[in-house]
Amino acid sequence: MHLLLSTIWDLCRFQRGPDALPSAPGFTALVLGLNLFLSTLIGMSLGERGLVTALSGAVVATAVLASGLWFVLALRGLQARFSQSLSALLCTDSVLSLAQWPLLLAWPEDGSAPLLLFGEVALMVWWLALFAFILSRALGVGRPHATFLALSLFMLAALATQTAMGGAP
């Protein structure tokens, strides 16, 4: 277990690629379940969502991420990398979600929190850079291309989640 957590932390620090994680579908399923649980818990803890809404948002965002990843891997004939790549995206998403959670809980209603805003922006940049790093390694493409793909997946997931939850995009 310690080795796995160390590997995930190394991945979050750009020290290892998605190929360092187990390629077993069971591991991917476990990580998927943990990520959905954490996303739902965070959504509910913010007081804006009930269980069904929080879980629905998490499922939609994850489905968009997984299907987008599958699509870009399939375009390059690299479907065999799907399990490890999705596991890497979900593991790092979970770590950064845990880092973001206290910021979201501390956020004042009037939104005037420059230090919290700085922390949130820093985490979002780290998130984007990390997803681009993982996609770059998985697809064998350069960072600019992978950054565009990561940003596209972020935007699609956010749009799909807002649409599914009945909000305006």
Side-chain angles (χ1 to χ4, degrees):
M1 181 63 142
H2 180 266
L3 180 61
L4 180 60
L5 293 176
S6 176
T7 300
I8 293 168
W9 182 241
D10 285 347
L11 183 60
C12 288
R13 294 181 306 128
F14 308 93
Q15 301 298 309
R16 301 186 83 170
D19 57 319
L21 293 175
S23 62
F27 177 73
T28 303
L30 175 68
V31 169
L32 174 64
L34 290 173
N35 185 271
L36 288 174
F37 173 76
L38 179 62
S39 296
T40 302
L41 182 64
I42 291 172
M44 290 174 53
S45 75
L46 298 176
E48 299 171 6
R49 303 176 184 169
L51 174 62
V52 173
T53 306
L55 180 59
S56 298
V59 167
V60 168
T62 304
V64 169
L65 179 66
S67 59
L69 175 63
W70 177 262
F71 179 74
V72 296
L73 286 170
L75 285 176
R76 297 187 54 87
L78 301 170
Q79 298 95 317
R81 297 182 181 182
F82 178 74
S83 184
Q84 285 177 306
S85 301
L86 183 61
S87 293
L89 291 174
L90 294 174
C91 284
T92 56
D93 179 66
S94 294
V95 169
L96 293 176
S97 291
L98 284 171
Q100 181 188 38
W101 196 3
L103 296 177
L104 295 174
L105 288 174
W107 203 269
E109 285 194 32
D110 66 359
S112 61
L115 287 177
L116 291 176
L117 179 60
F118 176 76
E120 182 69 20
V121 170
L123 279 173
M124 291 308 296
V125 169
W126 187 8
W127 228 315
L128 181 62
L130 192 50
F131 273 37
F133 172 75
I134 292 166
L135 291 173
S136 175
R137 289 282 189 95
L139 294 165
V141 298
R143 289 285 175 89
H145 187 184
T147 301
F148 173 77
L149 290 172
L151 190 55
S152 298
L153 286 174
F154 268 142
M155 303 272 288
L156 284 173
L159 180 63
T161 302
Q162 286 298 318
T163 301
M165 292 172 46

